[in-house]
Amino acid sequence: MSKSILITGGAGFIGSHVVKLFVEKYPHYKIVNLDALTYAGNLENLKEVQHEPNYFFEKVDIQDSDALEEVFDRHGISDVIHLAAESHVDRSISDPLAFVKTNVFGTVNLLNAAKKAWEGELGLHLFYHVSTDEVYGSLHDGGFFLETTPYDPQSPYSASKAASDHFVRAYANTYKMKTVVSNCSNNYGPNHFPEKLIPLCINNIKNLKPLPVYGKGENVRDWLFVKDHARAIDTVFHQGKPGETYNIGGFNEWKNIDIVRLLCKKMDEKLGREKGTSEKLITFVQDRAGHDHRYAIDATKIQKELGWEPSLQFEEGIDLTIDWYLANQDWLDHVTSGSYQEYYKELYEGR
Ligand code: NAD
Ligand code: DAU
């Protein structure tokens, strides 16, 4: 096999789409999915590829340096695509240290394991770090995040991601490790854990439960279909220039309240409910602490230099997403049982 790629966080939302794309598109690559299977990791996301001969799974925490070294050794890892992270801003507000442990300490552990495994031939291997637009901070109503925008993280989550980005670039500068970083906007699509706005609303609309909109719902996010992010990661992995950063986004800004209304309208139609039924569920609740006002990615560089473009219009992607959740009640039942109920109560009750 020509490459042996370690994809971390491959049982999560975006990681599972990246793993599926690579396993199916590159049968001559060995794909090793390394994931600790936290509350956000779910092997059901990978059922389409679990029996493929080029797919391997390792249940390992990136905080465990011995286990990482062993995986690099046993699988002869040639390249890394690093997605494993604690990813939810609200959880980072209640438990910042969990984010330091995985996102900062875990990333440095992984860099060290790669550096050790590739000693003497660092220039031959790629360490690709997947990051977020949130490291750039919060925009007012104008302007975009460019690759050159100074970092200004505002939440414990984005601070931990910013720190991990800095470490990756520091390893490139100090040890001449071949690295690339991409910073993407908000993703949506199948397999998105229902703690995040879009899947949470789809699940609640389905169950006629309140739709908690933080503050006035005026905050703006820039949404990209998850499979388009996975395609962008494929493009950056194969064509990105070492040492470079690529912003990924769909030039697709929406106010939260408008997204929630769109979901209500579409789901009333799909579920055969009377027009306006779901909108009555909208409930404005206490705002997120330190809530970033707006994110907006300028994705010109990846479009011009690497030829990547989103393949889907937002409404098409939202239709596909709602249809997936309606067809996958088992998946939703599994991920919303147990600890999800406690999490939901703690975050939303009395808010
Ligand atoms: P997710 O929370 O759905 O999945 C994270 C995965 O990482 C899970 O499978 C989990 O089990 C695993 N994981 C967590 N801690 C781990 C540890 N210590 N060791 C090993 N595995 C661990 O996250 P996601 O939304 O798929 O995001 C993936 C990556 O993309 C993250 O790095 C995130 O910062 C970045 N990102 C996400 C978005 C988005 O909109 N979701 C946008 C831009 C960038
Ligand atoms: O921009 C990329 C980032 O997008 C990723 O790095 C993160 O991992 C990912 O979680 C996402 O962060 P956000 O905080 O933007 O996503 P979330 O779905 O949590 O929230 C989207 C917006 O909706 C945000 O303005 C907060 C608001 N919101 C969220 C929830 C969960 C609500 O109004 N109500 C809610 O119940």
Side-chain angles (χ1 to χ4, degrees), residues 87-90 132-134 157 184-186 195-197 200 212-214 219 221 223 256 288 291 295 348:
S87 69
H88 192 36
V89 174
D90 290 320
T132 170
D133 60 357
E134 299 199 12
Y157 163 68
C184 188
S185 63
N186 285 61
E195 63 187 352
K196 311 279 167 57
L197 179 70
L200 184 146
V213 175
Y214 297 166
N219 304 66
R221 297 291 182 268
W223 294 94
N256 293 337
R288 175 183 276 174
H291 197 172
Y295 307 140
Y348 293 101

Side-chain angles (χ1 to χ4, degrees), residues 15-83:
S16 61
H17 287 279
V18 176
V19 166
K20 284 184 274 195
L21 186 151
F22 272 71
V23 167
E24 283 162 2
K25 187 169 171 188
Y26 303 108
H28 54 297
Y29 290 174
K30 176 174 174 182
I31 302 300
V32 181
N33 169 18
L34 182 148
D35 198 297
L37 299 183
T38 68
Y39 78 93
N42 183 352
L43 291 178
E44 280 177 70
N45 295 347
L46 294 151
K47 58 179 190 296
E48 296 91 332
V49 295
Q50 64 186 346
H51 300 304
E52 293 301 326
N54 63 333
Y55 172 73
F56 298 82
F57 174 66
E58 295 287 349
K59 184 175 183 307
V60 168
D61 191 318
I62 56 170
Q63 295 172 62
D64 182 346
S65 51
D66 290 344
L68 286 181
E69 280 180 25
E70 201 271 326
V71 167
F72 269 82
D73 203 31
R74 188 156 40 83
H75 288 286
I77 298 299
S78 61
D79 304 89
V80 170
I81 305 178
H82 176 36
L83 295 106

Side-chain angles (χ1 to χ4, degrees), residues 13-14 85-90 99 131-135 145 155 157-158 161 183-187 192-201 204 210-223 254-257 259-260 283-288 291-297 343-344 347-348 351:
F13 167 47
I14 301 169
E86 287 292 339
S87 69
H88 192 36
V89 174
D90 290 320
F99 286 67
S131 192
T132 170
D133 60 357
E134 299 199 12
V135 297
F145 295 135
S155 72
Y157 163 68
S158 52
K161 288 297 290 185
N183 297 82
C184 188
S185 63
N186 285 61
N187 286 214
H192 204 184
F193 193 79
E195 63 187 352
K196 311 279 167 57
L197 179 70
I198 289 181
L200 184 146
C201 286
N204 286 13
L211 307 175
V213 175
Y214 297 166
K216 294 181 178 153
E218 296 284 319
N219 304 66
V220 174
R221 297 291 182 268
D222 171 5
W223 294 94
W254 284 75
K255 279 186 186 166
N256 293 337
I257 187 64
I259 296 240
V260 176
T283 312
F284 292 94
V285 300
Q286 189 192 350
D287 209 351
R288 175 183 276 174
H291 197 172
D292 286 342
H293 175 63
R294 171 173 168 256
Y295 307 140
I297 277 282
Y343 161 81
Y344 198 93
L347 187 66
Y348 293 101
R351 191 169 185 149

Side-chain angles (χ1 to χ4, degrees), residues 167-181:
F167 269 103
V168 172
R169 295 191 179 106
Y171 272 56
N173 177 61
T174 309
Y175 307 112
K176 308 302 167 213
M177 190 180 256
K178 192 163 88 171
T179 64
V180 69
V181 177

